[in-house]
């Protein structure tokens, strides 16, 4: 009998931090653990090298008439810092009450183990299960999945499935299944304004020239209107208005504005008119300043007019905004509004397209939606309602996961994203944990969903 | 024979940065250097403690019938940042061609060394020189001379002189002596805006709240009008219109706007209407951003909404604006205009009143001007014309030296400020330097001026 908790503990003990080369052994350990696990389950496993961390590909089932589900996960984890804030050692997983603690328990080792366990149980019951399954587990999700994109380009043939099935997203409460159906995209760039050729004494020269910091604030302040909207012509042109069913799902989630405000620690929300804060972070694009620098930042005062000032900026994008198009309009406005007397330099950093998938039977479901995808959504709806005690919610989220738009673009596949971690699972933070009751329900749900997909195979 | 260049090198090697406590050893080194130097010249030296950095007081001459000149200087220097922009190490002084490079060579170690050398030479020729001389060298000029003000209050009796004589000001060219007759005042403060109680993920929460960096740019951008004036009601109410002779002196200076623009490395000037850039920096107040911080400032991008953002701001003031009054109106406007959803904290740093002294024989010279002060101005006019080859210019300057208004207020003394650094001496910037030819002429001028003052003593 496959024991998911013992297997998860074993998996978490490998400190597979992708961002830091001193965890190389942990990365290799996690790869070998997965290789062994999938091999034992009867999968054909390939550890595919990339420019940095390999991708694990594990396949079973060869009959082309069977549905083919691609199960995505990542074996890399965030660095455990700050170590002193952990109440138990991050790489010594331990069960306390209903939770298992350890780095990666929630992001993404626990959720992946849910699907591995579901598959193990199905195969135990029926080794001839009529379902093609390909696990694709990458090792660079926490550092941007850059090499995973190259891997996808070069391995399209291995990944010609019917849908992506995965759990790298959250739920609202232990009794509320959430399926994520959209993520925002992003463009990231930096602007640098140069005025005088070197830093100047603000007494001797102040008053005769445009201070680059002043130019930066004037330029930056022009980017938002007083109503909270981004003040760039055309910015909202390709924003897909949420369908009424989407707003309804969000209302059904019963999110509490007062509690959210307290959680953030703010006195007031600030978003464009006509949207709740929960809607704004999911359905609207943003232009956000992530960091400013320029001039003196040390102790006390320094009377300087700096030569340069810069800002790091990201825009979150929503369907069907296109990163290239938004980039062009933002950059054009920056160049147009840049105050005289300073020179503007824009440095592009990276970008991610927004992603959305519409479940079957909705007002805006595409007519040509693939059958396997629709079947998976329907099975999940049915089983989640039974196992979790209430209907699942289809929600878009505010974050960005580039690989979804990459999978869509490169493989032509949409994803069914079954949420499994909780708001207090402490992702990317000390004392990361995974709820064992959620795990148990997740395994049961996943087992039934996959069985349901197998049942659509021609007998 | 006293070698001013070797002495200056020795002096500059002490990294006496007053703003940063990690330079404590450099501060003590500079104090001990001065104590030794003055003692060797026959002065009675006292290193007077203050709440932070001590003041060096060195006295010679006790006959109350002799004129008493108070020579002011400061031994502290600006931080050397950004270090990577220095072509030679900031605290390893080096002579290259006609210039000596190093932090403090021009501000204020070199100019003080000019007067020390003049005094050394006079005393070498005439150890019985009929002049009372008190050097007062403070250690907090670059951080606002706050404790020097307390020192003055408690040491009025030691400083009952006839005038202040000093060089912490600039000249226009190596052949043009300038006597500074006015300085701008200053208020320095920091604003800090706090939004959410901790840094937030800009994907998960972006769009629901006011980003403190956005609040900072909106608030900051409101502080200037598009014509370059400070956009704060009442800000210009107490600005003294310059006398015609003042504008004439500035015209006589023959300053070239094109060259000034090239020197600054800017494409266009930016100042309020009705003023040349040279007038604007002398006769008008400013509000200048000296540094911004907030959010991520490292390499690449980080998708964060920071909890806090801050700006360091200074206002330059002109006669007869009062710091307290300006501070109140600026702070009131900041509080009034602070965007909702963030909390504003204002931290006062220091302030300085503007200063002006009118030389003898001008349209607005006070009738009761002290004789020693008038004598010193006249001697300087005469000697400078001979040594520098053309008449000196009386100019107000844009910088701030708080102690001048303090000296005026607390000791009742005005100052004769003989300029010594050049426009390209890089004060407060990398590659600070001092012109050795100017140094030589300065020593000769100072020697003759002091001799001339001594000559007014009753025989």
């Amino acid at each position: 009998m496959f024991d998911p908790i013992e297997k998860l503990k074993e998996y978490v003990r490998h400190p597979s931090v992708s961002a830091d080369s001193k965890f190389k052994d942990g990365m290799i350990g996690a790869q070998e653990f997965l290789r062994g696990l999938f091999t034992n389950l009867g999968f054909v496993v390939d550890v595919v090298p990339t420019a940095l961390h390999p991708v694990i590909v594990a396949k079973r089932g060869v009959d082309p008439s069977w549905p083919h589900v691609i199960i995505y996960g990542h074996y890399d984890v965030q660095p455990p810092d700050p170590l002193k804030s952990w109440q138990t050692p991050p790489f010594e997983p331990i069960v306390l009450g209903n939770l298992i603690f350890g780095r990666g328990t929630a992001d993404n080792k626990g959720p992946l183990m849910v699907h591995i366990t579901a598959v193990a149980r199905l195969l135990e019951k029926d080794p001839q299960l009529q379902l093609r399954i390909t696990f694709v587990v990458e090792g660079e999700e926490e550092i941007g999945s850059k090499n995973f994109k190259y891997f996808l380009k070069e391995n399209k043939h291995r990944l010609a499935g019917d849908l992506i099935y995965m759990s790298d997203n959250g739920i609202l409460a232990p009794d509320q299944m959430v399926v994520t159906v959209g993520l925002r995209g992003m463009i990231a760039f930096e602007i640098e304004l140069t005025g005088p050729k070197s830093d100047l004494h603000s007494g001797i020269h102040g008053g005769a020239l445009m201070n680059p910091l002043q130019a930066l604030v004037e330029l930056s302040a022009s980017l938002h209107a007083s109503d909270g909207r981004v003040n760039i012509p055309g910015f909202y042109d390709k924003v897909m208005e949420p369908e009424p069913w989407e707003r309804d799902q969000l209302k059904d989630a019963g999110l509490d504005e007062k509690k959210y405000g307290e959680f953030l620690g703010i006195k007031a929300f600030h978003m464009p008119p006509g949207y709740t804060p929960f809607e704004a972070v999911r359905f609207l694009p943003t232009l956000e300043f992530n960091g400013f620098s320029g001039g003196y930042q040390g102790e006390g005062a320094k009377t300087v007019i700096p030569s340069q000032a810069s800002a790091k900026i990201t825009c979150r994008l929503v369907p069907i905004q296109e990163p290239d198009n938004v980039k062009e309009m933002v950059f054009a406005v920056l160049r147009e509004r840049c105050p005289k007397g300073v020179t503007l330099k824009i440095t592009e950093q990276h970008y991610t397209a927004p992603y959305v998938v519409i479940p079957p039977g909705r007002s805006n479901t595409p007519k040509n939606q693939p059958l396997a995808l629709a079947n998976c959504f329907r099975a999940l709806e049915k089983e989640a309602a039974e196992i979790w005690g209430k209907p699942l919610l289809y929600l878009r989220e505010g974050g960005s996961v580039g690989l979804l738009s990459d999978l869509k673009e490169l493989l032509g596949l949409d994803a069914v994203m079954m949420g499994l971690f909780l708001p207090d699972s402490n992702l990317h933070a000390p004392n990361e944990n995974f709820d064992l009751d959620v795990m148990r329900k997740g395994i049961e749900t996943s087992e039934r969903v996959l069985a349901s997909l197998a049942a659509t195979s021609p007998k």
Side-chain angles (χ1 to χ4, degrees), chain A residues 3-29:
Chain A
D3 183 338
I5 296 174
E6 285 312 307
K7 289 290 176 199
L8 177 57
K9 282 184 176 174
E10 199 182 324
Y11 190 16
V12 171
R13 278 187 201 107
H14 298 286
S16 46
V17 177
S18 52
D20 188 339
S21 57
K22 72 171 185 275
F23 289 95
K24 197 181 170 193
D25 288 350
M27 290 299 287
I28 292 170

Side-chain angles (χ1 to χ4, degrees), chain A residues 310-330:
Chain A
S310 62
K312 289 178 192 284
I313 300 176
T314 46
C315 293
R316 296 283 169 172
L317 311 182
V318 297
I320 54 170
Q321 289 182 299
E322 294 151 11
D324 278 342
N325 175 253
V326 174
K327 205 170 68 183
E328 269 168 39
M329 68 177 76
V330 174

Side-chain angles (χ1 to χ4, degrees), chain A residues 377-414:
Chain A
F377 273 122
R378 288 205 181 94
L380 185 51
E381 272 183 47
K382 176 176 171 288
E383 305 302 343
E386 278 183 25
I387 295 167
W388 300 64
K390 48 172 131 165
L392 64 75
L393 292 170
Y394 287 118
L395 298 177
R396 285 201 256 162
E397 293 303 333
S400 304
V401 183
L403 73 115
L404 286 158
S405 49
D406 294 343
L407 290 165
K408 178 75 181 181
E409 184 196 333
L410 295 169
L411 307 183
L413 298 182
D414 275 304

